[in-house]
Amino acid sequence: MSSVSGWFKERLPFDGSKLQHLTSEPVPYHMKRWWFCLGGTPAYLFMVQVVTGILLAFYYEASTARAYESVRYITEDAAFGWYLRSVHKWGATLMIATMILHQMRVFFTGAYRKPREINWLVGMLILVTTLVIGFTGYSLVFEQLSYWGVTVGGNISKSVPVVGPLMHDFLFGGAQYGAPTVPRLYVLHAAVLPVVLVLLLVVHFTVLRIQGVTDFRFSDEDEGKTFRFFPDHVYTEIIAGLVLMILLSALATIFPAFMGPKADPLTTPEVIKPEWWFMVTFRWLKLMGITAAVLSMGLIVFLMFVWPFVDAWIVRRTRNKEVSTVVGVIAVIAITGLTVWEALVAH
């Protein structure tokens, strides 16, 4: 063994003290609170999605003729296919939920303010990319609801001024849902968007590494109190990962993914329900009409992106940092209310 160890050390000289120094940086003590550790949770769930997605890709066939049957085979015939598909489905749900919670935590703690505006912009891009990944993944099953959900989504994108028709034709591979649509959605879901997400995460963590974690003070903490990144914080993240795996396995087992009716382009379902993260969009669309809804949603998303600069302008004018909190509470109530409304109504 010593000769083998010597062989590796000669070719890969490694100084353990340097690694210990690199990983022993102090972490602000407020990171002991779980809601400040939500940023790592979506990243962990993304790794789960990558692994389960690769395994599902061995059986999935990205074509309108075979997509539904291949998913049925995964769900009903392939060994543990139902489990992998269910973990992938629930992983997507939890990833989006924790992304939204993380963005809310950053907003309500004011962690987007100077000098962290860049990371807020990157975080918003990560959130939007994650939502689009969820949308394209939901669409690959080629069920009745997913088919018509994509159709409605395409019509919404078509209403976007200037670039809308181009976006629609690029997504569908033509003027309407056809043979090129599923392969395009699959390429976006399994290749293009994950690469974009990885690049955004690299930028996000690099900026975070340069700027450091936002330091908050609580009444029960001594000033300047910290704890070690390794092993203390690493242990916390490992425990969080194990808890998530238990939760994912429980959800996949108790509420497994099922097969709905196969897509029928000739029969429009009476009720079209998207996944929960797009229910607010559907409800807003029904209330406003497609043109007004698209324009108003575009304005809202734009304001979300540039909010650090809007907030800075408000603070300069009013000398009040709590205005953003009030706006955030109203937004959360409105989004939650519209989502629940859409989830409960029959049409």
Side-chain angles (χ1 to χ4, degrees), residues 11-332:
R11 287 154 181 79
L12 299 171
F14 178 74
D15 188 350
S17 62
K18 291 183 179 179
L19 179 63
Q20 184 178 10
H21 175 73
L22 182 66
T23 59
S24 63
E25 62 179 283
V27 179
Y29 201 78
H30 73 269
M31 294 295 290
K32 287 280 189 180
R33 292 168 166 82
W34 66 268
W35 57 88
F36 282 99
C37 298
L38 283 170
T41 305
Y44 176 82
L45 290 166
F46 177 59
M47 290 188 287
V48 173
Q49 294 303 95
V50 170
V51 173
T52 54
I54 290 172
L55 294 173
L56 292 172
F58 282 106
Y59 294 96
Y60 182 74
E61 298 182 45
S63 69
T64 53
R66 292 290 303 164
Y68 183 85
E69 182 57 31
S70 65
V71 176
R72 188 209 62 76
Y73 178 82
I74 291 170
T75 307
E76 299 177 4
D77 297 331
F80 296 103
W82 66 270
Y83 175 77
L84 290 173
R85 184 187 168 212
S86 300
V87 168
H88 194 74
K89 176 181 180 294
W90 281 107
T93 296
L94 294 182
M95 182 178 171
I96 291 172
T98 52
M99 271 294 308
I100 293 171
L101 289 174
H102 174 61
Q103 205 75 349
M104 286 173 60
R105 197 277 300 165
V106 172
F107 182 90
F108 284 111
T109 57
Y112 57 83
R113 291 186 171 121
K114 183 181 177 180
R116 304 180 188 278
E117 301 95 335
I118 293 176
N119 237 9
W120 171 265
L121 294 172
V122 176
M124 283 299 304
L125 288 172
I126 292 173
L127 176 59
V128 171
T129 303
T130 303
L131 291 172
V132 179
I133 291 176
F135 172 75
T136 53
Y138 162 77
S139 307
L140 294 178
V141 185
F142 204 63
E143 293 175 338
Q144 183 75 323
L145 286 182
S146 65
Y147 173 89
W148 288 100
V150 174
T151 302
V152 172
N155 291 335
I156 293 174
S157 67
K158 197 173 184 178
S159 302
V160 175
V162 184
V163 298
L166 180 63
M167 291 169 53
H168 175 275
D169 292 350
F170 175 79
L171 180 67
F172 281 72
Q176 58 186 4
Y177 201 120
T181 306
V182 171
R184 286 179 178 236
L185 291 170
Y186 183 67
V187 170
L188 286 172
H189 180 75
V192 177
L193 293 173
V195 171
V196 171
L197 185 56
V198 168
L199 294 176
L200 289 172
L201 287 172
V202 169
V203 174
H204 185 67
F205 288 128
T206 300
V207 174
L208 182 63
R209 178 73 179 177
I210 293 171
Q211 295 181 335
V213 178
T214 307
D215 194 4
F216 294 98
R217 293 282 187 269
F218 291 89
S219 58
D220 60 340
E221 296 175 8
D222 297 331
E223 185 173 353
K225 188 176 182 181
T226 61
F227 63 100
R228 295 174 299 174
F229 177 83
F230 183 85
D232 298 346
H233 190 63
V234 173
Y235 284 167
T236 302
E237 294 293 343
I238 291 174
I239 292 170
L242 292 173
V243 171
L244 280 172
M245 280 309 303
I246 294 171
L247 178 60
L248 279 174
S249 291
L251 290 171
T253 304
I254 300 170
F255 306 105
F258 59 88
M259 297 297 298
K262 185 177 180 178
D264 181 2
L266 301 179
T267 305
T268 305
E270 293 185 6
V271 180
I272 300 175
K273 291 283 186 181
E275 291 289 346
W276 64 268
W277 53 85
F278 279 125
M279 284 187 178
V280 61
T281 304
F282 266 56
R283 177 46 48 185
W284 191 248
L285 185 68
K286 293 173 182 177
L287 291 175
M288 299 289 292
I290 189 165
T291 302
V294 168
L295 292 176
S296 58
M297 285 189 295
L299 176 61
I300 291 170
V301 172
F302 173 75
L303 287 175
M304 290 172 67
F305 268 91
V306 301
W307 189 257
F309 310 100
V310 175
D311 173 79
W313 181 84
I314 293 174
V315 171
R316 284 197 304 269
R317 291 279 182 162
T318 65
R319 305 296 179 184
N320 185 356
K321 290 187 175 182
E322 301 305 319
V323 174
S324 289
T325 302
V326 175
V327 172
V329 169
I330 294 173
V332 169

